[in-house]
Amino acid sequence: MTGTLSLKEKIQRKKAVVAVYGLGYVGLPLLLQTASKGFKTVGVDINNKKVLKLKKGETEVLTSQEKNVFKKLIEEGLVELTSDGNYASDKAEVHIICVPTPVDEVGIPDLKFVVEAAETISKGLREGEIVVSESTSYPGTVDYVIRPVLEKTGLKAGEDFYLAFSPERISPGDPYKISEIPKVVGGVNKESTDLSALFYQQILDAPVIPVSDAKTAEMTKMLENIYRVVNIALINELAVFAEKLGIDIWEVIRAASTKPFGFQSFHPGPGVGGHCVPVDPLYFSFLVRKMGKISHFIELATEINNKMPEHVVELVEAALNSVKKSVKGSTLSIYGLTYKKDVPDLRNTPSKKIIKFLLELGAKIKVYDPYVKKVTLGNETFKSEKNVFECAKGSDCLIFLTDHKMFKSINIEELIEKMKEKIIVDGRNIFDRETCERKGIHYFAIGKPIKKRGRV
Ligand code: SAJ
C-alpha cells in the first residue's frame, strides 16, 4: 500500500495533520489532547457562532486550566478552528468524527450529522489517510453508513484509506482525564486498526485496546452504556419498592457496597439525563427491532427510568397532602436543573419533565441552579433565582433534583425560615431525614420510607 509508511512515519513523528469534526463534549477535549501532544489539529464545527466563541477561548466544556492551554495552542498555531469542513478535510490526513448521534422524539436514531461529516471528509479524502468515527452508534454504522459515503470517492476502505471506530468515553464531571482513559479501536481491516491504534498511542497515556473490527468496537460502546442504563433502572425500581416497604435503599446500597466483589453501586434518581446513557442504548434496540426482535432489557430500563419524573411528582403530591395542600396553587422551588451534579448541561435533564408535570398540575415554579441562568420549557422561561435562599422564599415545598456539591453544605435552618410550608422532596439523598424532622421539616425522598404508611 503506497503511503502507509509515510503516514505511519508522519504519525510517529507527529507530523500528520489531524482534523476533529464536531467540537462538543467529545471533540473539544480530543482536539486539545491531540494538539497538546504536538499534532497540528484543525477543529471543525458547523456552528460558526461556537467556532467564533472557541477562538476567544470561550467554552463551558473545558476547565479554566484547559482553556489556558487551549489559548496557547491556538497562539502557537497547533490548533486551528473553522466552520469550513472542506478546508479541514483538504488539510488533514487523520480525520476524527465526533459529531452527535441523537434520537428523535420516538427514539429513532438520527445519523444525519455522521453522514454530513463523512460527506465533508470525502471531499478532501486522499489515498493513505485515516478516518475514525468516535460518534456512538449501533454496530454496522461504520461498515454500512460511513464506508459507502467515503467510497463514493472511488477510494476503497482498508486499501486506499483506513477506516475505524473508536468509542468516546468522556464522562462529564467525573475526574478522568481523556489521556488516562483506555481507548478501544477496531478497523475495517487489520491495517486500519493498527494505524488508528498507533495514532491514539501517540496522543494518549492510557493503553489502546485494538479489537477485531469496527463493529466489535461499536458494540463495546453499546455494552458500556446499556450496562449503565439497565443498572440505573434496576436501582430506580428497587428504590420505589423500598419506599413502600419502609426501607431506606440508600442504606441498603451502602451495605451492599461492602461486598468487595461482584457488586457495583448505582443510585436512584429523578431520571436519566445526558446525551449518552439514555440515548445510546436506543441505537441498539433500534438495530434489534430491525432484526425483528425486542431488546427487553433496554426497553424495560428505558420505561422505568422515564417513569422516575412522574414518581417525583407523586412524592411532591404526597408531601403537600401531608399538610392538606395540593400542587395546584402551591409555590414549588426546584433545586438543580442540570442532568448530573456539577455539570452545566441540560440535555435530556429530568428536571424539565418534572417542571412540566408540576405546571400542568397548577403549581407556581421557582428554580435555582448554580450552573444555569435560565431554563426554557415551551414558551415559558424560568430564570434561576439569585441564591438558594431567594428560591426558598414563600415556597411550599423544596424539590432537590440534582446533587450539586454546594447543596450539601446548605444551612437548612436558614433555608426553611423563608418557606411558607416546611417540606423537602429529596431526589438525590442530599439530606438526612432525622435532621430534617428534628427541625420540623416534612421530609420525603426517592428510595426512603414514606412515613406513616402501613405494611404493603
Ligand atoms: N445516574 C443515576 N444513577 C446512577 C448513575 C447515573 O441516576 O447511579 C444518572 C445521572 O444523574 C445522569 C445519567 O444517569 O442523569 C447519566 O449519568 P452518567 O454519569 O452515567 O452519564 P454521563 O452521560 O455523564 O457520562 C457517561 C459516562 N459515565 C460514566 O461512565 C460514569 C459513560 O457512560 C460514557 O463514557 C459517557 O456517558 C458517554 O459518552 O457515553
Side-chain angles (χ1 to χ4, degrees), residues 229-243 249 266-272 301 304-306 308 311 427 446-447:
V229 82
V230 168
N231 279 289
I232 294 167
L234 171 67
I235 199 64
N236 277 332
E237 179 168 77
L238 295 180
V240 176
F241 293 148
E243 290 168 12
I249 200 72
F266 287 83
H267 298 92
V272 174
I304 290 171
N305 290 333
N306 287 350
M308 289 313 284
H311 182 63
I446 291 181

Side-chain angles (χ1 to χ4, degrees), residues 171-178 180-181 340-341:
S171 183
D174 293 326
Y176 306 104
K177 286 206 195 73
I178 187 171
E180 296 162 356
I181 304 170
K340 181 179 180 181
K341 69 177 176 185

Side-chain angles (χ1 to χ4, degrees), residues 168 170-171 174 221 225 228 266-267 273 276 339-340 428:
E168 55 86 2
I170 306 283
S171 183
D174 293 326
K221 179 64 178 181
N225 279 3
R228 290 190 70 71
F266 287 83
H267 298 92
C276 309
Y339 82 91
K340 181 179 180 181
R428 297 280 189 175

